[in-house]
Amino acid sequence: MKSLDEMLEQVDRDQPKTVAVAQAADAEVLRAVKKAYELGIAHFVLVGEGESLSNLAKEAGLDLNQDGIKIMNCPPEDAAQMAVKTVHEGEAHVVMKGHIDTKSLLKAVLDKQFGLRSKGVLSHVALFEVPGRDKLIFLTDAAMNIAPTLEEKISIINNAVEVAKKAGLKKPKVAPLAAVEVVNPAMEATKDAAVLSQMNRRGQIKDCLVDGPLAFDNAVDSNAARQKGINSEVAGQADILVAPTIEVANALYKSFMYFANAKVAAVISGAKAPIVLTSRADTAESKVYSLALALQSSK
């Protein structure tokens, strides 16, 4: 894929999946709902206090009486649990964050009785359209895991690969990032990257190609990789960048957005259903792209 609009076009419109929005009383979220509904990519269960929802829907130009839009009236403090329970019970396929704090939504997602808990860790998977590049690129994990262990990095890679495959990549190329492209015993990130690469070669990490450690330039630029003499199927061609810590991923994420003017879609992967956990500062366009990525991931 070369653009997020191309990904958007791939979402099934013949049998649209349903998105449960937790505390949907947010004007920007409802604008995204309106656009996604008009594009035909999703139906919606809007969870929250009915009167506030109605007022903000009018402001956003969204008609709540259309087929494929359902209101689930409940107090704001119950919205996260109700939205997650809707997905748990199979009435919806994706959870989306509305006007609610992330901690409350994730608490509901991890609830033992009605949540969406799975065996691995939850991780943030972002997909960027960077101007001047001829393909999209994934980045993980900029929001969930602070200093992932080797075991957690395995789950983070598996989560990102699963999202990438469902978005259309048959065998994504994964670059575990470090400051250098050689193993340095004093740098934990380089040692983890080497172990992850070897695990991939031995079939312990599947459905992708993993090679590292790679510095950022060697991962994304073929000329930089050649100048360093790196012989690798991943170097210069990475589809997925795996950051060693949340600080690295978060800085890259914001650099792509603010310096490169990239467009972005993002989901939380690793639960039994995708979670759209966008920021309140994100535009309606970004929220729609994130919905599209989540809907693709729920296949």
Side-chain angles (χ1 to χ4, degrees):
M1 290 182 296
K2 295 184 178 181
S3 72
L4 292 177
D5 284 328
E6 184 180 336
M7 178 196 68
L8 191 59
E9 286 302 313
Q10 293 176 0
V11 179
D12 184 7
R13 286 162 169 78
D14 294 329
Q15 294 181 310
K17 292 185 171 68
T18 300
V19 178
V21 185
Q23 184 53 356
D26 179 282
E28 200 65 26
V29 168
L30 291 172
R31 288 188 187 97
V33 168
K34 178 177 183 287
K35 185 172 182 180
Y37 183 82
E38 289 173 348
L39 289 169
I41 64 171
H43 291 168
F44 291 90
V45 176
L46 304 179
V47 185
E49 198 277 312
E51 186 175 351
S52 295
L53 261 173
S54 296
N55 293 336
L56 287 166
K58 288 178 184 176
E59 183 183 324
L62 174 65
D63 181 359
L64 298 178
N65 296 312
Q66 301 173 93
D67 291 338
I69 296 181
K70 177 182 175 181
I71 307 300
M72 189 174 286
N73 196 357
C74 73
E77 61 269 22
D78 296 334
Q81 187 176 39
M82 292 292 289
V84 170
K85 188 177 178 182
T86 300
V87 177
H88 176 85
E89 294 178 347
E91 296 175 31
H93 307 89
V94 172
V95 179
M96 182 178 186
K97 175 187 171 185
H99 190 68
I100 191 170
D101 64 273
T102 298
K103 182 179 178 181
S104 297
L105 181 58
L106 292 178
K107 182 181 178 182
V109 168
L110 296 173
D111 179 83
K112 290 183 178 179
Q113 185 175 4
F114 293 115
L116 304 172
R117 184 190 294 264
S118 63
K119 292 181 180 179
V121 302
L122 301 184
S123 57
H124 185 267
V125 182
L127 178 59
F128 288 93
E129 179 185 333
V130 181
R133 290 188 61 83
D134 61 359
K135 67 175 184 178
L136 302 179
I137 192 162
F138 288 89
L139 172 67
T140 191
D141 173 351
M144 295 291 293
N145 296 281
I146 296 171
T149 63
L150 177 63
E151 186 175 358
E152 288 169 339
K153 287 176 183 177
I154 295 168
S155 289
I156 287 168
I157 289 175
N158 287 335
N159 289 347
V161 168
E162 184 71 12
V163 173
K165 285 177 61 186
K166 288 182 176 178
L169 290 177
K170 292 183 179 178
K171 197 165 189 177
K173 297 174 180 178
V174 181
L177 297 178
V180 293
E181 64 282 346
V182 294
V183 177
N184 182 334
M187 300 175 69
E188 196 70 25
T190 68
K191 294 190 289 182
D192 283 356
V195 173
L196 293 166
S197 302
Q198 186 65 8
M199 290 179 73
N200 174 244
R201 293 187 188 103
R202 293 189 174 186
Q204 293 172 268
I205 299 174
K206 301 180 185 296
D207 301 324
C208 61
L209 290 173
V210 182
D211 192 38
L214 289 171
F216 176 74
D217 56 342
N218 302 322
V220 301
D221 188 273
S222 297
N223 288 329
R226 276 194 298 271
Q227 287 170 5
K228 286 289 183 75
I230 301 172
N231 184 19
S232 163
E233 292 183 78
V234 176
Q237 304 175 67
D239 298 303
I240 300 172
L241 303 175
V242 181
T245 65
I246 197 170
E247 292 90 353
V248 174
N250 193 269
L252 278 174
Y253 185 108
K254 289 173 180 174
S255 295
F256 291 165
M257 295 292 294
Y258 289 95
F259 281 178
N261 296 315
K263 295 179 180 179
V264 66
V267 297
I268 301 296
S269 182
K272 292 179 181 177
I275 304 159
V276 179
L277 201 67
T278 54
S279 163
R280 290 176 189 173
D282 288 338
T283 63
E285 179 187 54
S286 288
K287 288 179 168 69
V288 171
Y289 286 141
S290 295
L291 275 170
L293 183 60
L295 291 162
Q296 288 288 81
S297 301
S298 70
K299 291 189 290 188

